[in-house]
Amino acid sequence: MEKNLLKLIKKQKVAFIASIDENGNPNIKAMNAPRKIEGNTFYFSTNTSSKRVQQFFKNPQASIYFYKRGKIHYKGVMLVGTMEVLTDEKTKKEIWHFGDTLFYKKGVTDPDYCVLKFTAKTCRWYSDLKTDEFEL
């Protein structure tokens, strides 16, 4: 992934994640920024019982969006790809944060704690009234 895009993404505290519901409608949710980024793969922490996770089990098509709004300039990046729901202990440990026990009382092994692994396939970048699209 291009350095400028990655730099913008890493500075954001929020990511918007889109899934597809059982009727084929897009659903968008704001989430904390990814815990880990490897190339065009992004890892998020979430609840296994959440509506979003249930949607990804049924349909892995997904999109994530990040933006930076300045006083004059606006930059945004939309990534389209697939989302996997991971429940293996190794991956969960990799992105675990100490404060997560507030949400997952049983720690890393809490059955309601899982990892969303998003793999981007395409990117649409917007900056200063210009848009660029490319494959990753």
Side-chain angles (χ1 to χ4, degrees):
M1 180 171 303
E2 185 182 301
K3 275 185 178 181
N4 289 336
L5 291 178
L6 199 52
K7 187 176 176 182
L8 177 131
I9 289 169
K10 286 183 175 182
K11 287 184 176 182
Q12 306 316 306
K13 293 182 182 349
V14 175
F16 295 91
I17 297 187
S19 58
I20 306 295
D21 71 14
E22 60 279 353
N23 297 315
N25 297 313
N27 287 208
I28 298 173
K29 178 182 179 171
M31 290 186 67
N32 287 327
R35 295 270 178 99
K36 178 179 169 185
I37 301 172
E38 291 180 328
N40 59 329
T41 304
F42 300 76
Y43 296 83
F44 298 88
S45 172
T46 196
N47 294 82
T48 310
S49 61
S50 72
K51 183 177 188 174
R52 198 81 47 232
V53 167
Q54 302 315 306
Q55 290 172 347
F56 289 130
F57 276 136
K58 293 176 183 170
N59 185 343
Q61 292 181 24
S63 181
I64 59 176
Y65 188 80
F66 301 91
Y67 78 96
K68 179 184 179 198
R69 181 175 173 223
K71 290 182 180 181
I72 298 172
H73 300 286
Y74 175 93
K75 294 180 180 185
V77 58
M78 178 181 70
L79 301 167
V80 176
T82 56
M83 190 76 77
E84 294 175 68
V85 179
L86 305 177
T87 57
D88 65 284
E89 197 169 326
K90 180 182 180 287
T91 305
K92 289 165 60 170
K93 280 182 178 179
E94 284 179 20
I95 70 161
W96 180 262
H97 286 178
F98 178 75
D100 288 345
T101 52
L102 287 170
F103 307 103
Y104 311 107
K105 302 297 181 201
K106 297 178 183 175
V108 171
T109 60
D110 193 315
D112 198 35
Y113 168 56
C114 71
V115 174
L116 293 178
K117 177 185 176 186
F118 176 79
T119 304
K121 295 179 181 174
T122 62
C123 177
R124 182 176 172 103
W125 162 250
Y126 174 85
S127 178
D128 300 325
L129 303 175
K130 296 176 190 165
T131 302
D132 190 21
E133 291 186 62
F134 52 91
E135 299 280 324
L136 296 171

